[in-house]
Amino acid sequence: MKNIYFSIVFLATTTLLGQNTLNPEYTKDYYLQKSKNQHKTAWILLTSGTVIGVIGLIGFGNTYDIWDDSSESEIYGFMVVGGGLLSTASIPLFISSGKNARRAATISFNNQPILGPTQNLCLRNSQPSLLLTINF
């Protein structure tokens, strides 16, 4: 019984500790490409949702009759709802695209030390500069 218990505990701990828990390091290019793809997809969803919704509104306005039970007006009504859902689905993609772009690069102002020559000496001054920080 002790051998079975010991072997189960041994196998459980070795499989848990043997897993790779390190996150892969992504480069600036990876985040920029991911941001570009998400931004493009978000714009496609937004424009197609808007176009489908406007077509649905125009068609619904032309075919809807309170006394008539035609399926044409129902189709245009579904187009309005579908266009709205497509447009709404683009919002998370815009947000994640912005986050990935910010992960790739951050621009800030900072004072950087520089060496400047002055009468046979090198003097260390700080000069305001534009700093590009890449966060991983």
Side-chain angles (χ1 to χ4, degrees):
M1 184 69 182
K2 286 183 182 181
N3 289 337
I4 295 172
Y5 179 72
F6 178 72
S7 63
I8 291 173
V9 170
F10 179 73
L11 288 175
T13 56
T14 55
T15 56
L16 288 176
L17 296 176
Q19 294 178 0
N20 187 6
T21 58
L22 298 175
N23 293 333
E25 294 185 20
Y26 297 118
T27 62
K28 176 184 174 185
D29 295 331
Y30 170 78
Y31 283 117
L32 287 176
Q33 186 64 36
K34 189 173 181 180
S35 172
K36 182 181 175 183
N37 291 342
Q38 287 174 338
H39 198 72
K40 185 187 295 186
T41 305
W43 273 111
I44 290 170
L45 283 175
L46 182 65
T47 54
S48 63
T50 304
V51 168
I52 290 172
V54 168
I55 290 171
L57 279 174
I58 292 170
F60 188 77
N62 290 337
T63 61
Y64 180 72
D65 187 11
I66 197 166
W67 306 109
D68 188 16
D69 229 6
S70 69
S71 63
E72 256 186 69
S73 61
E74 290 178 4
I75 292 172
Y76 286 123
F78 287 128
M79 286 178 69
V80 171
V81 172
L85 290 175
L86 276 175
S87 297
T88 306
S90 69
I91 294 171
L93 287 172
F94 277 120
I95 292 171
S96 62
S97 170
K99 283 183 182 178
N100 286 326
R102 281 189 297 276
R103 282 183 187 154
T106 304
I107 296 177
S108 63
F109 288 104
N110 197 0
N111 289 331
Q112 293 291 322
I114 60 167
L115 296 174
T118 59
Q119 296 182 2
N120 300 336
L121 295 174
C122 286
L123 185 63
R124 188 175 203 164
N125 290 332
S126 62
Q127 179 177 2
S129 60
L130 186 64
L131 184 67
L132 175 66
T133 305
I134 300 173
N135 297 322
F136 292 105

